[in-house]
Amino acid sequence: MSELPITKDFYNRSERCTYFLKELKSFFESNDNITDIHFIPVIKGYEVEYINGGISEKLCINIRNKFYDGMIIKKYVDGKFKKIYCTKENFAETVNRIF
């Protein structure tokens, strides 16, 4: 790890994001209403775009934040901000709250 040009905090946040995306992918696979899924890496985390029952939705996952150690997830429905979620662990529970 000492050879990597990233900090341990950033590595831990990235690891959390990976576990969250794994839970999200499992949820998408078990739900037939959700189609056209795109996982898009961005500088501060990920964006996940999908169609839920014919409606375009997007999750913006931010892993870099000065004031909060966990992830901040913003949900947009048809391009309009819907709700914000914060999580550090219990990612399956967070996915259930989002949907």
Side-chain angles (χ1 to χ4, degrees):
M1 170 112 171
S2 63
E3 296 85 25
L4 295 176
I6 60 174
T7 64
K8 185 156 177 67
D9 277 345
F10 184 72
Y11 178 80
N12 290 337
R13 289 177 182 180
S14 298
E15 189 177 35
R16 280 189 210 130
C17 184
T18 302
Y19 290 132
F20 177 75
L21 291 174
K22 179 182 172 226
E23 288 292 331
L24 197 60
K25 184 178 177 188
S26 296
F27 178 81
F28 287 159
E29 288 173 350
S30 66
N31 194 330
D32 294 335
N33 288 338
I34 298 176
T35 59
D36 200 25
I37 305 160
H38 300 282
F39 291 89
I40 306 163
V42 293
I43 297 293
K44 292 187 174 188
Y46 262 85
E47 289 183 359
V48 181
E49 297 177 351
Y50 55 93
I51 305 293
N52 187 0
I55 299 171
S56 173
E57 296 184 6
K58 178 167 87 169
L59 297 176
C60 294
I61 304 164
N62 185 349
I63 62 171
R64 282 187 172 177
N65 194 321
K66 293 180 183 179
F67 306 110
Y68 184 65
D69 188 34
M71 293 184 302
I72 298 173
I73 304 157
K74 295 179 183 176
K75 183 176 183 177
Y76 295 87
V77 177
D78 277 339
K80 297 176 186 164
F81 177 74
K82 186 73 172 175
K83 196 166 183 181
I84 192 166
Y85 305 90
C86 298
T87 185
K88 286 186 182 180
E89 52 190 40
N90 295 332
F91 302 125
E93 180 183 316
T94 304
V95 169
N96 288 332
R97 281 189 304 166
I98 291 172
F99 296 99

